[in-house]
Amino acid sequence: MKKILAICGSTRADSANLKLLQLLAQWAGSSYEFTIYDGLASLPHFNPDLDVEPAPEAVTALRQRITDADGFIICTPEYVFSLPGSLKNALEWMVSTVIFDGKPTGLITASSSGEKGHEQLLLVMRTLSAGFTEETQLLIKSVKAKVAPDGQIKDATTEEQLRRFWAAMGSLIDDNLVAE
Ligand SMILES: Cc1cc2nc3c(=O)[nH]c(=O)nc-3n(C[C@H](O)[C@H](O)[C@H](O)COP(=O)(O)O)c2cc1C
């Protein structure tokens, strides 16, 4: 079964971003093995001196999981007009690798506003050569008003946008497999 690895940029237990990823996991059903990475908060701080062989164990493990995944999704809030530090830290560990090269990738920023953070997310992931398209990126504003405590989406437009994102993500993964 094809694998999708997702990273939530929020480490908050009641995160709206996490709820969105859990909804995608439901939609994945038995079509994909959908895993949400839970090690973001315990990754070591990036330091180029440590980015040698062997890299720290948790970093090597995350790199392997990304490599093994057929698709990769980030769903994150914006913090002070940028990416949350823990997410940026994880991505910094990937700069010396080529693991995102052409990797079918979906990028969601779900935040109060999120515009600057989303721009930066796209820039960072473009720099890492991730394979995303206009259809596999999505900015969800006022997220707390749109996601119910039980994780269901309260806003019809947002649900439609997320469903379109999910369909595009599936196509991207399938096209990539065809290309291989
Ligand atoms: C430290 C901090 C900084 C924030 N900065 C921004 C910001 O610059 N722009 C924005 O849209 N929201 C900002 N927020 C609000 C988040 O978008 C909001 O809390 C969001 O729901 C967090 O996502 P989560 O529910 O997945 O944790 C900030 C929140 C925190 C805790």
Side-chain angles (χ1 to χ4, degrees):
M1 192 190 294
K2 293 172 223 161
K3 292 182 184 151
I4 298 178
L5 180 69
I7 290 187
C8 180
S10 172
T11 50
R12 210 165 64 85
D14 196 37
S15 162
N17 281 272
L18 181 59
K19 287 175 185 165
L20 289 173
L21 286 178
Q22 287 166 339
L23 188 62
L24 294 184
Q26 277 180 35
W27 290 352
S30 54
S31 302
Y32 298 97
E33 185 186 314
F34 191 106
T35 319
I36 302 173
Y37 177 67
D38 65 359
L40 202 63
S42 50
L43 277 183
H45 288 171
F46 177 70
N47 177 343
D49 291 339
L50 301 178
D51 193 8
V52 290
E53 281 298 325
E57 204 175 318
V59 172
T60 304
L62 176 57
R63 287 174 175 169
Q64 192 59 50
R65 288 181 68 178
I66 294 170
T67 301
D68 291 346
D70 300 291
F72 178 72
I73 295 177
I74 292 175
C75 187
T76 182
E78 172 184 78
Y79 279 1
V80 279
F81 302 111
S82 187
L83 273 61
S86 51
L87 173 62
K88 180 80 174 355
N89 181 55
L91 295 174
E92 284 169 5
W93 279 113
M94 306 305 151
V95 170
S96 62
T97 77
V98 290
I99 57 176
F100 283 118
D101 210 350
K103 174 81 62 186
T105 296
L107 301 171
I108 302 173
T109 301
S111 202
S112 303
S113 164
E115 278 179 24
K116 298 272 182 219
H118 195 57
E119 275 173 28
Q120 291 190 23
L121 181 63
L122 300 189
L123 177 61
V124 168
M125 295 311 289
R126 197 173 295 123
T127 304
L128 295 177
S129 302
F132 62 94
T133 67
E134 185 61 27
E135 289 72 36
T136 64
Q137 58 85 30
L138 178 62
L139 171 61
I140 300 174
K141 294 185 173 195
S142 306
V143 65
K144 282 186 176 167
K146 292 174 176 168
V147 178
D150 68 359
Q152 292 307 304
I153 298 180
K154 295 193 274 182
D155 176 67
T157 305
T158 303
E159 175 157 5
E160 174 59 26
Q161 288 172 331
L162 196 65
R163 285 196 183 276
R164 268 191 267 126
F165 164 90
W166 181 241
M169 193 67 212
S171 302
L172 200 61
I173 291 171
D174 293 346
D175 288 353
N176 200 60
L177 288 179
V178 169
E180 274 174 1

